[in-house]
PDB file of all heavy atoms in Angstrom:
ATOM      1  N   GLU A 355      -3.243  13.870 -18.658  1.00  0.00           N
ATOM      2  CA  GLU A 355      -4.454  14.322 -17.972  1.00  0.00           C
ATOM      3  C   GLU A 355      -5.470  13.178 -17.877  1.00  0.00           C
ATOM      4  O   GLU A 355      -6.007  12.898 -16.802  1.00  0.00           O
ATOM      5  CB  GLU A 355      -5.057  15.499 -18.733  1.00  0.00           C
ATOM      6  CG  GLU A 355      -6.139  16.209 -17.964  1.00  0.00           C
ATOM      7  CD  GLU A 355      -6.704  17.366 -18.770  1.00  0.00           C
ATOM      8  OE1 GLU A 355      -5.994  18.374 -18.927  1.00  0.00           O
ATOM      9  OE2 GLU A 355      -7.847  17.262 -19.245  1.00  0.00           O
ATOM     10  N   TYR A 362      -7.188   8.558 -10.613  1.00  0.00           N
ATOM     11  CA  TYR A 362      -8.008   9.039  -9.487  1.00  0.00           C
ATOM     12  C   TYR A 362      -9.262   8.177  -9.321  1.00  0.00           C
ATOM     13  O   TYR A 362      -9.602   7.761  -8.210  1.00  0.00           O
ATOM     14  CB  TYR A 362      -8.432  10.499  -9.707  1.00  0.00           C
ATOM     15  CG  TYR A 362      -7.409  11.512  -9.236  1.00  0.00           C
ATOM     16  CD1 TYR A 362      -6.879  12.449 -10.116  1.00  0.00           C
ATOM     17  CD2 TYR A 362      -6.979  11.538  -7.910  1.00  0.00           C
ATOM     18  CE1 TYR A 362      -5.945  13.386  -9.693  1.00  0.00           C
ATOM     19  CE2 TYR A 362      -6.039  12.469  -7.483  1.00  0.00           C
ATOM     20  CZ  TYR A 362      -5.525  13.389  -8.378  1.00  0.00           C
ATOM     21  OH  TYR A 362      -4.607  14.301  -7.958  1.00  0.00           O
ATOM     22  N   ASP A 365      -8.424   4.735  -8.077  1.00  0.00           N
ATOM     23  CA  ASP A 365      -8.116   4.829  -6.642  1.00  0.00           C
ATOM     24  C   ASP A 365      -9.410   4.914  -5.825  1.00  0.00           C
ATOM     25  O   ASP A 365      -9.514   4.320  -4.756  1.00  0.00           O
ATOM     26  CB  ASP A 365      -7.254   6.066  -6.351  1.00  0.00           C
ATOM     27  CG  ASP A 365      -5.773   5.807  -6.605  1.00  0.00           C
ATOM     28  OD1 ASP A 365      -5.431   4.693  -7.045  1.00  0.00           O
ATOM     29  OD2 ASP A 365      -4.956   6.719  -6.384  1.00  0.00           O
ATOM     30  N   CYS A 366     -10.376   5.670  -6.352  1.00  0.00           N
ATOM     31  CA  CYS A 366     -11.674   5.772  -5.662  1.00  0.00           C
ATOM     32  C   CYS A 366     -12.332   4.405  -5.556  1.00  0.00           C
ATOM     33  O   CYS A 366     -12.884   4.048  -4.516  1.00  0.00           O
ATOM     34  CB  CYS A 366     -12.615   6.716  -6.412  1.00  0.00           C
ATOM     35  SG  CYS A 366     -12.236   8.443  -6.119  1.00  0.00           S
ATOM     36  N   THR A 370     -13.024   2.684  -2.078  1.00  0.00           N
ATOM     37  CA  THR A 370     -14.385   2.296  -1.704  1.00  0.00           C
ATOM     38  C   THR A 370     -14.450   0.808  -1.376  1.00  0.00           C
ATOM     39  O   THR A 370     -15.130   0.391  -0.433  1.00  0.00           O
ATOM     40  CB  THR A 370     -15.368   2.632  -2.847  1.00  0.00           C
ATOM     41  OG1 THR A 370     -15.288   4.026  -3.110  1.00  0.00           O
ATOM     42  CG2 THR A 370     -16.797   2.265  -2.491  1.00  0.00           C
ATOM     43  N   VAL A 374     -13.613   1.942   5.137  1.00  0.00           N
ATOM     44  CA  VAL A 374     -14.648   1.815   6.169  1.00  0.00           C
ATOM     45  C   VAL A 374     -15.906   1.162   5.620  1.00  0.00           C
ATOM     46  O   VAL A 374     -16.252   1.343   4.463  1.00  0.00           O
ATOM     47  CB  VAL A 374     -15.106   3.209   6.666  1.00  0.00           C
ATOM     48  CG1 VAL A 374     -15.502   3.141   8.122  1.00  0.00           C
ATOM     49  CG2 VAL A 374     -14.082   4.270   6.403  1.00  0.00           C
ATOM     50  N   TYR A 376     -19.665   1.081   5.264  1.00  0.00           N
ATOM     51  CA  TYR A 376     -20.962   1.773   5.434  1.00  0.00           C
ATOM     52  C   TYR A 376     -22.112   0.853   5.017  1.00  0.00           C
ATOM     53  O   TYR A 376     -23.198   1.340   4.719  1.00  0.00           O
ATOM     54  CB  TYR A 376     -21.010   3.043   4.586  1.00  0.00           C
ATOM     55  CG  TYR A 376     -19.978   4.100   4.917  1.00  0.00           C
ATOM     56  CD1 TYR A 376     -19.135   4.595   3.926  1.00  0.00           C
ATOM     57  CD2 TYR A 376     -19.871   4.628   6.200  1.00  0.00           C
ATOM     58  CE1 TYR A 376     -18.195   5.579   4.211  1.00  0.00           C
ATOM     59  CE2 TYR A 376     -18.934   5.601   6.488  1.00  0.00           C
ATOM     60  CZ  TYR A 376     -18.104   6.076   5.489  1.00  0.00           C
ATOM     61  OH  TYR A 376     -17.181   7.037   5.766  1.00  0.00           O
ATOM     62  N   ARG A 381     -21.950  -0.197  -0.490  1.00  0.00           N
ATOM     63  CA  ARG A 381     -20.648  -0.349  -1.152  1.00  0.00           C
ATOM     64  C   ARG A 381     -20.842  -0.807  -2.606  1.00  0.00           C
ATOM     65  O   ARG A 381     -20.240  -0.249  -3.518  1.00  0.00           O
ATOM     66  CB  ARG A 381     -19.794  -1.358  -0.387  1.00  0.00           C
ATOM     67  CG  ARG A 381     -18.512  -1.740  -1.137  1.00  0.00           C
ATOM     68  CD  ARG A 381     -17.576  -2.545  -0.274  1.00  0.00           C
ATOM     69  NE  ARG A 381     -16.924  -1.706   0.721  1.00  0.00           N
ATOM     70  CZ  ARG A 381     -16.401  -2.143   1.855  1.00  0.00           C
ATOM     71  NH1 ARG A 381     -16.456  -3.407   2.131  1.00  0.00           N
ATOM     72  NH2 ARG A 381     -15.839  -1.306   2.696  1.00  0.00           N
ATOM     73  N   ILE A 383     -23.486  -0.461  -4.553  1.00  0.00           N
ATOM     74  CA  ILE A 383     -24.068   0.628  -5.350  1.00  0.00           C
ATOM     75  C   ILE A 383     -22.987   1.673  -5.679  1.00  0.00           C
ATOM     76  O   ILE A 383     -22.875   2.120  -6.823  1.00  0.00           O
ATOM     77  CB  ILE A 383     -25.242   1.303  -4.600  1.00  0.00           C
ATOM     78  CG1 ILE A 383     -26.397   0.309  -4.408  1.00  0.00           C
ATOM     79  CG2 ILE A 383     -25.747   2.540  -5.352  1.00  0.00           C
ATOM     80  CD1 ILE A 383     -27.470   0.772  -3.432  1.00  0.00           C
ATOM     81  N   SER A 384     -22.198   2.037  -4.676  1.00  0.00           N
ATOM     82  CA  SER A 384     -21.171   3.055  -4.892  1.00  0.00           C
ATOM     83  C   SER A 384     -20.147   2.591  -5.931  1.00  0.00           C
ATOM     84  O   SER A 384     -19.760   3.353  -6.819  1.00  0.00           O
ATOM     85  CB  SER A 384     -20.456   3.375  -3.586  1.00  0.00           C
ATOM     86  OG  SER A 384     -21.387   3.738  -2.605  1.00  0.00           O
ATOM     87  N   THR A 391     -19.196   5.979 -13.941  1.00  0.00           N
ATOM     88  CA  THR A 391     -18.551   7.277 -14.163  1.00  0.00           C
ATOM     89  C   THR A 391     -17.276   7.107 -14.980  1.00  0.00           C
ATOM     90  O   THR A 391     -17.026   7.846 -15.939  1.00  0.00           O
ATOM     91  CB  THR A 391     -18.220   7.938 -12.809  1.00  0.00           C
ATOM     92  OG1 THR A 391     -19.422   8.017 -12.034  1.00  0.00           O
ATOM     93  CG2 THR A 391     -17.651   9.338 -13.001  1.00  0.00           C
TER      94      THR A 391
ATOM     95  N   GLU B 407     -29.010   2.794   3.500  1.00  0.00           N
ATOM     96  CA  GLU B 407     -28.337   2.468   2.244  1.00  0.00           C
ATOM     97  C   GLU B 407     -27.939   3.742   1.512  1.00  0.00           C
ATOM     98  O   GLU B 407     -26.790   3.887   1.071  1.00  0.00           O
ATOM     99  CB  GLU B 407     -29.271   1.625   1.378  1.00  0.00           C
ATOM    100  CG  GLU B 407     -28.578   0.990   0.205  1.00  0.00           C
ATOM    101  CD  GLU B 407     -29.551   0.174  -0.617  1.00  0.00           C
ATOM    102  OE1 GLU B 407     -29.972  -0.892  -0.139  1.00  0.00           O
ATOM    103  OE2 GLU B 407     -29.922   0.616  -1.732  1.00  0.00           O
ATOM    104  N   TYR B 414     -19.807   6.979   1.022  1.00  0.00           N
ATOM    105  CA  TYR B 414     -18.744   6.448   0.156  1.00  0.00           C
ATOM    106  C   TYR B 414     -18.314   7.485  -0.869  1.00  0.00           C
ATOM    107  O   TYR B 414     -17.129   7.723  -1.074  1.00  0.00           O
ATOM    108  CB  TYR B 414     -19.212   5.182  -0.575  1.00  0.00           C
ATOM    109  CG  TYR B 414     -19.033   3.903   0.222  1.00  0.00           C
ATOM    110  CD1 TYR B 414     -20.101   3.067   0.501  1.00  0.00           C
ATOM    111  CD2 TYR B 414     -17.775   3.529   0.689  1.00  0.00           C
ATOM    112  CE1 TYR B 414     -19.943   1.894   1.224  1.00  0.00           C
ATOM    113  CE2 TYR B 414     -17.604   2.362   1.417  1.00  0.00           C
ATOM    114  CZ  TYR B 414     -18.682   1.549   1.686  1.00  0.00           C
ATOM    115  OH  TYR B 414     -18.509   0.401   2.406  1.00  0.00           O
ATOM    116  N   ASP B 417     -16.453  10.339   0.707  1.00  0.00           N
ATOM    117  CA  ASP B 417     -15.097   9.888   1.028  1.00  0.00           C
ATOM    118  C   ASP B 417     -14.226   9.900  -0.226  1.00  0.00           C
ATOM    119  O   ASP B 417     -13.055  10.265  -0.167  1.00  0.00           O
ATOM    120  CB  ASP B 417     -15.117   8.474   1.623  1.00  0.00           C
ATOM    121  CG  ASP B 417     -15.425   8.483   3.116  1.00  0.00           C
ATOM    122  OD1 ASP B 417     -15.649   9.575   3.671  1.00  0.00           O
ATOM    123  OD2 ASP B 417     -15.442   7.394   3.725  1.00  0.00           O
ATOM    124  N   CYS B 418     -14.821   9.475  -1.347  1.00  0.00           N
ATOM    125  CA  CYS B 418     -14.072   9.483  -2.622  1.00  0.00           C
ATOM    126  C   CYS B 418     -13.657  10.908  -2.969  1.00  0.00           C
ATOM    127  O   CYS B 418     -12.523  11.143  -3.406  1.00  0.00           O
ATOM    128  CB  CYS B 418     -14.921   8.922  -3.759  1.00  0.00           C
ATOM    129  SG  CYS B 418     -15.010   7.131  -3.746  1.00  0.00           S
ATOM    130  N   THR B 422      -9.855  11.966  -3.181  1.00  0.00           N
ATOM    131  CA  THR B 422      -9.314  12.530  -4.425  1.00  0.00           C
ATOM    132  C   THR B 422      -8.689  13.899  -4.160  1.00  0.00           C
ATOM    133  O   THR B 422      -7.635  14.235  -4.706  1.00  0.00           O
ATOM    134  CB  THR B 422     -10.423  12.651  -5.482  1.00  0.00           C
ATOM    135  OG1 THR B 422     -10.960  11.351  -5.706  1.00  0.00           O
ATOM    136  CG2 THR B 422      -9.900  13.207  -6.800  1.00  0.00           C
ATOM    137  N   VAL B 426      -2.592  11.280  -3.390  1.00  0.00           N
ATOM    138  CA  VAL B 426      -1.486  11.393  -4.351  1.00  0.00           C
ATOM    139  C   VAL B 426      -1.809  12.395  -5.461  1.00  0.00           C
ATOM    140  O   VAL B 426      -2.943  12.524  -5.875  1.00  0.00           O
ATOM    141  CB  VAL B 426      -1.246  10.045  -5.071  1.00  0.00           C
ATOM    142  CG1 VAL B 426       0.219   9.889  -5.413  1.00  0.00           C
ATOM    143  CG2 VAL B 426      -1.780   8.880  -4.305  1.00  0.00           C
ATOM    144  N   TYR B 428      -1.865  13.303  -9.124  1.00  0.00           N
ATOM    145  CA  TYR B 428      -1.740  12.854 -10.516  1.00  0.00           C
ATOM    146  C   TYR B 428      -1.883  14.049 -11.468  1.00  0.00           C
ATOM    147  O   TYR B 428      -2.190  13.869 -12.635  1.00  0.00           O
ATOM    148  CB  TYR B 428      -2.817  11.826 -10.869  1.00  0.00           C
ATOM    149  CG  TYR B 428      -2.785  10.541 -10.072  1.00  0.00           C
ATOM    150  CD1 TYR B 428      -3.918  10.103  -9.385  1.00  0.00           C
ATOM    151  CD2 TYR B 428      -1.645   9.743 -10.033  1.00  0.00           C
ATOM    152  CE1 TYR B 428      -3.906   8.908  -8.671  1.00  0.00           C
ATOM    153  CE2 TYR B 428      -1.624   8.556  -9.322  1.00  0.00           C
ATOM    154  CZ  TYR B 428      -2.761   8.153  -8.643  1.00  0.00           C
ATOM    155  OH  TYR B 428      -2.742   6.980  -7.947  1.00  0.00           O
ATOM    156  N   ARG B 433      -7.064  16.177 -11.238  1.00  0.00           N
ATOM    157  CA  ARG B 433      -7.770  16.209  -9.953  1.00  0.00           C
ATOM    158  C   ARG B 433      -9.083  16.980 -10.086  1.00  0.00           C
ATOM    159  O   ARG B 433     -10.142  16.516  -9.646  1.00  0.00           O
ATOM    160  CB  ARG B 433      -6.887  16.838  -8.876  1.00  0.00           C
ATOM    161  CG  ARG B 433      -7.627  17.115  -7.569  1.00  0.00           C
ATOM    162  CD  ARG B 433      -6.701  17.519  -6.459  1.00  0.00           C
ATOM    163  NE  ARG B 433      -5.931  16.362  -6.004  1.00  0.00           N
ATOM    164  CZ  ARG B 433      -4.768  16.437  -5.370  1.00  0.00           C
ATOM    165  NH1 ARG B 433      -4.237  17.608  -5.137  1.00  0.00           N
ATOM    166  NH2 ARG B 433      -4.137  15.340  -4.991  1.00  0.00           N
ATOM    167  N   ILE B 435     -10.861  17.597 -12.811  1.00  0.00           N
ATOM    168  CA  ILE B 435     -11.818  16.841 -13.639  1.00  0.00           C
ATOM    169  C   ILE B 435     -12.432  15.703 -12.824  1.00  0.00           C
ATOM    170  O   ILE B 435     -13.648  15.493 -12.838  1.00  0.00           O
ATOM    171  CB  ILE B 435     -11.129  16.277 -14.911  1.00  0.00           C
ATOM    172  CG1 ILE B 435     -10.662  17.430 -15.815  1.00  0.00           C
ATOM    173  CG2 ILE B 435     -12.066  15.349 -15.688  1.00  0.00           C
ATOM    174  CD1 ILE B 435      -9.717  16.997 -16.925  1.00  0.00           C
ATOM    175  N   THR B 443     -21.642  12.566 -10.248  1.00  0.00           N
ATOM    176  CA  THR B 443     -22.166  11.240  -9.906  1.00  0.00           C
ATOM    177  C   THR B 443     -23.025  11.320  -8.646  1.00  0.00           C
ATOM    178  O   THR B 443     -24.132  10.767  -8.600  1.00  0.00           O
ATOM    179  CB  THR B 443     -20.992  10.247  -9.684  1.00  0.00           C
ATOM    180  OG1 THR B 443     -20.174  10.251 -10.853  1.00  0.00           O
ATOM    181  CG2 THR B 443     -21.500   8.848  -9.417  1.00  0.00           C
TER     182      THR B 443
END
Side-chain angles (χ1 to χ4, degrees):
Chain A
E355 192 180 288
Y362 274 122
D365 277 2
C366 282
T370 302
V374 212
Y376 298 125
R381 171 170 286 157
I383 295 168
S384 305
T391 305
Chain B
E407 193 180 289
Y414 274 123
D417 277 2
C418 282
T422 301
V426 212
Y428 298 125
R433 171 171 288 158
I435 295 167
T443 305

